[in-house]
Amino acid sequence: AERGGRRAELHKMAAAGAEAAAEEEKRLPEGDPESGGDSDDEGDSDSSGDGEDEEKENEAEIQRLEEQLSINAFDYNCHLDLIKLLRQEGELVKLRRARQKMSELFPLTEEIWLDWLKDEIKMASDISEREKVYELFERAVKDYICPEIWLEYAQYSIGGIGQEGGIERVRSIFERALTAVGLHVTKGTALWEAYREFENAILETAQPAPGSIPSPEQQQVLCSQLEKIHTLFRRQLGIPLLDMEASYAEYEEWSEEPIPEATTKNYKKALQQLEKCKPYEEALLGAETPKLAEYQAYIDFEMKAGDPARIQLIYERALAENCLVPDLWARYNQYLDRQLKVKELVLSAHDRAVRNCPWTVGLWIRYLLAMERHRVEHSIISEMFEKALNAGFIQATDYVEIWQAYLDYLRRRVDFTQDSSKELEELRSAFARAVEYLKQEVEERFSESGDPSCTIMQNWARVEARLCNNMQKARELWDNIMTKGNAKYANMWLEYYNLERAHGDTQHCRKALHRAVQCTSDYPEHVCEVLLTLERIEGTLEDWDAAVQKTENRLARVNEQRAKAAEKEAALAKQEEERAEQRKQARAEKKASKKAKKTRTGDKRKADEDDEGEWGQEEELPSKRHRGEGDGVLPEEEMEVETGLFGRSEKPDGPAIPKEKPSTSRKDIPKVLHDSSKDKVTVFVSNLSYTMAEPEAKLRELFGSCGEVVEIRAVFNNKGTFRGYCYVQFREEEAARQALALDRTAVEGRPMFVSPCVDKNKNPDFKVFRYSTTLEKHKLFISGLPFSCTKEELEEVCKAHGNVKDIRLVTNRAGKPKGLAYVEYESEAQASQAVLKMDGLAVKGHVIKVMISNPPLRKLPERPKPGMASLSLEPRQIYGARGKGRTQLSMMPRALQRQSNPMAKAENGMVQNSPAASSDPPAEPIKMSNADFAKMLLKK
């Protein structure tokens, strides 16, 4: 039915000729006052008032969008919103200007082009305006290969067949459309049929009047027109297209003669090829956007077949749906560069690639090379390079690469047989500008130049030395390179030495190596060996003696420094051991002190001392973890003993025991020693709320979905307070692995940390961090978010720029948001596009900052210097639990202040002698009973 309707329309438009064109010109755009006669009718006053309010709101929004685009012209969504509002308001002049600006920056999608074209067609009322529409169609078909746009173009051209050369113009457009998309398996048939119906309409107009005999000229025109239609049928039947069986049947019905054998043979061959293509077309039909894997399989299939036209078409189809995938553009451009080598086709593809993915430096470099390869004018290439500098690359090294590509192009333009030329001066000026650009523009944006080894200056020095015979300039450049922090690297000195060796003289070589011996810190032995080799071949005895003395002195100093460094390292290791031993001793003394205070009788004290090995380790709270660490590293105290069986609901065997008042102490509860053999089936759960009621029941319900839970050992202190962590033991190891997926699950408003159960004593360096700490180009880091921003709200903002795989809002240990988030996209291209469009965006009144995720390296705590070990033993409490406060004033009366001596230790009210006051070893502290304490206090 659709095909029949299209045919009827084409027949009508072709037969009408100039009348159809005139009718097309009279059509007015929607919303024009002349298009409706009731626009001034009386209406309800309330509705008109609402319309005025809406109009004012739209005008304010239009103004805001225009201001936003003046700040960031590359905001794609802002362009779309502005065009939508202007079209709604009927602002045709502003609408045309907005579309024009967007088309200059981005290739437009099929939908945007069709809307634009339809609006312009409605406004085209004379020949000059129709010509502008033709120009707009020409721009539209260059952005992407779109069968619908080509079909619209051909149908629009039919309306102008009444003009001079109108029929030939229509045929030319149809032929170009068939070249572009006539091989499209699923959509090519529509174009072929439209072309045939147009020729059939022309055939009907050429028929003589009924009852009349055609003249020889008319008979010749009829035969020529019939042959055109026969040719179209034969061409179409030789191409694998969907529904080609119906086209063959239509040809049999239309033709008065039998179908030629060659046509039938080509038709059967095309049918066989269609069967091979069908699996790939069906895969595309059933796949979800972006269908990149399915298109890649289709491309590989066509590449094996080797038909350039079909390869080009399948690439274009893939790019129409994956226009933001740089790798796909790179493969397509590489194919065009190496196989087709057609200038217009190649340069057009490169231009579309950089307009779609301007952040990809590799596409710009390929474009510059293609322009040079096809001998484009120098001014155009330079202009394209300036556009590349303003493309907004995401890494500092990208700017180094684009500068290097442009400098290579300028170097190839220079005729070095001449002492001086305009091209050579331009090359030197470009080198100087590149160095300055990296130092100012790039370093200001990225906090690095991207060229720490000064590769551009090295290449400049090579050009001056080898091609211009200007060693003086090369030496100046290398002197500048060394002053930028490169003098300590042996490879830099050897690079300069090799250049001096090839194009300089022995004196400068010797001077360079002597400086290298003095300055190199990474591989001084290598530099010393090169110096001795030089003197062995070309030096005098005095030169040899000077070189030997210099190298021996230098290597002696190096060995001495290395020995000192080794001693320092050993001393630090020893200090670490001593501090560990002191901490262990301090803990033991603290536990002994607490036990002594809780004892009531001598017998009870003795019993407690015997039980210390089991209970002593449970007195301290677990050591504080750093923010964000939810790993399963078990503190030393936790690995020795757990109090995880308190409050279990198991019924004891035997007679019932009368109820007694519950004890606040947990020393009556048997302790459970940690069994490290079950670590593989156990997970460590932390960061739970201390106020959680019945943690065992709560966690059993939570972890029950992972597998059979054997035991949950919640850890309490001696007062019966839950300590916020526990151990969950499963029956199977697979269940424990599945439980790790519950990490960061919110439990009573706090993120629960779930991690493997690992003994820190056996694995001191073990650490679990589930997220990558390296550069991830497909993931964004967003800061400055309002604390009230939810995951769903952020996803709504981000999904407009690509397919969002995951969003993680960063919270503190209490589950409160920190205004940070990580957003993961499906591809690097989508992430890069999102950076360009979202950075500086306002979310709930907060301006967010968006960048590619590349977390900085964690800084390890600095080790104390030798001789400062005693300072590290100073207790932290002298500054309070949260470090130094805003004031350093002491709030304690001087009479009650104690001497700040970390070595003095109070135990049971007796203070040991300070080592500074007495050289005798400290005496054993005197044990005091309650009565002794009472006497001492009464005396005071």
Side-chain angles (χ1 to χ4, degrees), residues 451-522:
D451 190 17
S453 299
C454 302
T455 55
I456 289 182
M457 293 183 69
Q458 289 189 46
N459 291 332
W460 188 3
R462 295 188 189 102
V463 169
E464 294 289 353
R466 297 177 184 176
L467 302 178
C468 300
N469 297 319
N470 189 355
M471 273 304 299
Q472 183 61 33
K473 181 63 177 179
R475 293 180 184 120
E476 292 177 3
L477 291 169
W478 267 104
D479 185 67
N480 195 2
I481 291 172
M482 292 304 183
T483 58
K484 294 183 180 295
N486 293 303
K488 58 184 177 181
Y489 300 117
N491 65 319
M492 300 296 289
W493 283 107
L494 295 180
E495 186 70 29
Y496 171 46
Y497 166 75
N498 291 331
L499 185 69
E500 194 72 60
R501 187 76 168 153
H503 306 284
D505 52 54
T506 305
Q507 180 181 358
H508 284 90
C509 288
R510 180 178 292 110
K511 184 178 180 181
L513 289 178
H514 276 273
R515 290 180 59 194
V517 169
Q518 190 68 27
C519 301
T520 300
S521 60
D522 53 352

Side-chain angles (χ1 to χ4, degrees), residues 395-414:
Q395 295 183 12
T397 54
D398 293 344
Y399 288 93
V400 179
E401 293 180 25
I402 193 65
W403 266 111
Q404 192 57 65
Y406 183 60
L407 292 169
D408 292 345
Y409 157 71
L410 293 179
R411 197 259 317 155
R412 289 189 285 267
R413 295 182 68 244
V414 179

Side-chain angles (χ1 to χ4, degrees), residues 337 346 350 366 368-376 381:
D337 287 334
V346 169
H350 280 289
R366 289 176 181 272
L368 294 178
L369 290 173
M371 295 175 76
E372 181 184 3
R373 196 176 292 119
H374 291 282
R375 304 188 184 282
V376 177
I381 296 179

Side-chain angles (χ1 to χ4, degrees), residues 197-353:
E197 294 306 320
F198 167 74
E199 295 294 354
N200 274 321
I202 299 298
L203 178 63
E204 290 184 5
T205 60
Q207 293 287 352
S212 63
I213 299 175
S215 63
E217 291 79 7
Q218 289 177 330
Q219 189 66 34
Q220 185 178 1
V221 170
L222 287 174
C223 292
S224 175
Q225 190 64 27
L226 283 172
E227 184 59 29
K228 284 184 173 67
I229 300 174
H230 274 289
T231 302
L232 284 175
F233 267 119
R234 293 166 187 169
R235 288 169 61 190
Q236 179 183 355
L237 292 176
I239 298 173
L241 299 172
L242 290 182
D243 201 21
M244 61 185 307
E245 296 88 348
S247 300
Y248 186 80
E250 183 181 350
Y251 187 27
E252 285 183 319
E253 181 182 353
W254 180 84
S255 178
E256 298 177 354
E257 301 175 357
I259 298 178
E261 183 179 351
T263 303
T264 304
K265 184 178 180 181
N266 291 336
Y267 165 70
K268 293 181 179 179
K269 185 178 179 181
L271 271 178
Q272 294 176 356
Q273 190 174 359
L274 178 62
E275 292 300 320
K276 296 179 181 178
C277 294
K278 274 186 177 180
Y280 298 99
E281 294 290 346
E282 292 171 355
L284 288 174
L285 187 63
E288 297 182 358
T289 305
K291 309 177 185 178
L292 190 58
E294 290 76 14
Y295 272 120
Q296 187 58 53
Y298 207 163
I299 291 171
D300 294 339
F301 165 74
E302 293 293 358
M303 290 287 284
K304 291 179 181 179
D307 186 345
R310 298 191 64 83
I311 294 173
Q312 180 191 356
L313 179 63
I314 190 59
Y315 263 120
E316 292 286 354
R317 288 178 60 185
L319 288 167
E321 296 191 49
N322 298 274
C323 59
L324 298 179
V325 180
D327 291 341
L328 187 59
W329 280 108
R331 291 195 294 270
Y332 181 40
N333 290 337
Q334 185 179 33
Y335 171 77
L336 296 178
D337 287 334
R338 296 181 179 179
Q339 301 298 327
L340 296 187
K341 302 179 182 180
V342 180
K343 179 179 179 180
E344 292 74 14
L345 184 62
V346 169
L347 296 183
S348 172
H350 280 289
D351 183 68
R352 288 185 292 137

Side-chain angles (χ1 to χ4, degrees), residues 501-662:
R501 187 76 168 153
H503 306 284
D505 52 54
T506 305
Q507 180 181 358
H508 284 90
C509 288
R510 180 178 292 110
K511 184 178 180 181
L513 289 178
H514 276 273
R515 290 180 59 194
V517 169
Q518 190 68 27
C519 301
T520 300
S521 60
D522 53 352
Y523 299 104
E525 294 89 350
H526 192 184
V527 176
C528 292
E529 182 180 353
V530 174
L531 175 59
L532 293 176
T533 301
L534 174 68
E535 301 300 354
R536 180 176 286 110
I537 296 173
E538 299 187 16
T540 63
L541 178 60
E542 291 78 9
D543 295 332
W544 172 260
D545 290 339
V548 170
Q549 183 179 359
K550 192 173 189 66
T551 55
E552 286 180 351
N553 292 339
R554 175 58 177 162
L555 293 179
R557 288 197 302 272
V558 168
N559 292 332
E560 183 180 354
Q561 292 172 357
R562 290 174 179 172
K564 289 182 178 179
E567 292 177 0
K568 183 178 179 181
E569 190 70 23
L572 290 174
K574 185 177 180 181
Q575 290 174 8
E576 280 293 333
E577 295 178 359
E578 292 175 353
R579 283 196 293 270
E581 185 65 28
Q582 290 173 357
R583 286 195 296 269
K584 185 176 180 180
Q585 183 179 357
R587 284 197 299 268
E589 293 176 354
K590 185 176 180 181
K591 292 166 189 174
S593 174
K594 289 182 178 180
K595 289 181 182 298
K597 292 179 181 179
K598 290 183 179 180
T599 55
R600 299 301 180 190
T601 62
D603 294 337
K604 182 65 177 176
R605 184 185 301 114
K606 185 176 184 301
D608 288 344
E609 290 174 356
D610 294 338
D611 194 42
E612 180 181 351
E614 182 179 357
W615 285 93
Q617 297 292 345
E618 198 59 41
E619 293 296 330
E620 290 185 25
L621 290 175
S623 59
K624 181 178 178 181
R625 286 187 177 86
H626 293 291
R627 180 182 302 174
E629 293 182 1
D631 54 43
V633 178
L634 307 184
E636 182 180 350
E637 297 85 4
E638 299 170 72
M639 293 301 299
E640 290 189 24
V641 62
E642 301 165 6
T643 60
L645 300 182
F646 178 79
R648 294 182 63 87
S649 59
E650 297 178 1
K651 296 183 179 180
D653 297 332
I657 301 175
K659 293 185 178 180
E660 296 179 0
K661 183 179 179 180

Side-chain angles (χ1 to χ4, degrees), residues 107-237:
L108 304 185
T109 62
E110 176 184 326
E111 294 77 11
I112 298 176
W113 272 121
L114 288 176
D115 288 341
W116 190 357
L117 290 166
K118 290 175 182 177
D119 290 343
E120 294 292 343
I121 288 172
K122 294 172 184 177
M123 292 185 289
S125 57
D126 54 29
I127 296 178
S128 62
E129 291 180 351
R130 287 183 63 86
E131 289 299 323
K132 292 180 179 179
V133 176
Y134 281 121
E135 295 175 1
L136 199 60
F137 268 114
E138 289 295 332
R139 292 174 55 190
V141 296
K142 290 179 181 179
D143 272 357
Y144 297 109
I145 300 297
C146 298
E148 288 80 3
I149 294 180
W150 275 110
L151 186 59
E152 187 74 21
Y153 190 10
Q155 290 179 342
Y156 177 73
S157 66
I158 293 175
I161 61 175
Q163 302 173 7
E164 182 179 355
I167 294 179
E168 293 305 320
R169 186 173 199 172
V170 174
R171 285 175 176 156
S172 173
I173 292 172
F174 266 119
E175 288 294 337
R176 290 173 57 203
L178 292 180
T179 302
V181 293
L183 298 178
H184 199 298
V185 177
T186 58
K187 298 181 179 180
T189 304
L191 271 169
W192 286 101
E193 291 182 350
Y195 196 2
R196 283 205 321 271
E197 294 306 320
F198 167 74
E199 295 294 354
N200 274 321
I202 299 298
L203 178 63
E204 290 184 5
T205 60
Q207 293 287 352
S212 63
I213 299 175
S215 63
E217 291 79 7
Q218 289 177 330
Q219 189 66 34
Q220 185 178 1
V221 170
L222 287 174
C223 292
S224 175
Q225 190 64 27
L226 283 172
E227 184 59 29
K228 284 184 173 67
I229 300 174
H230 274 289
T231 302
L232 284 175
F233 267 119
R234 293 166 187 169
R235 288 169 61 190
Q236 179 183 355
L237 292 176

Side-chain angles (χ1 to χ4, degrees), residues 78-90 95:
C78 194
H79 281 285
L80 293 181
D81 295 340
L82 179 60
I83 290 173
K84 182 179 178 180
L85 275 177
L86 290 174
R87 194 164 190 253
Q88 179 180 338
E89 293 295 312
L95 176 61

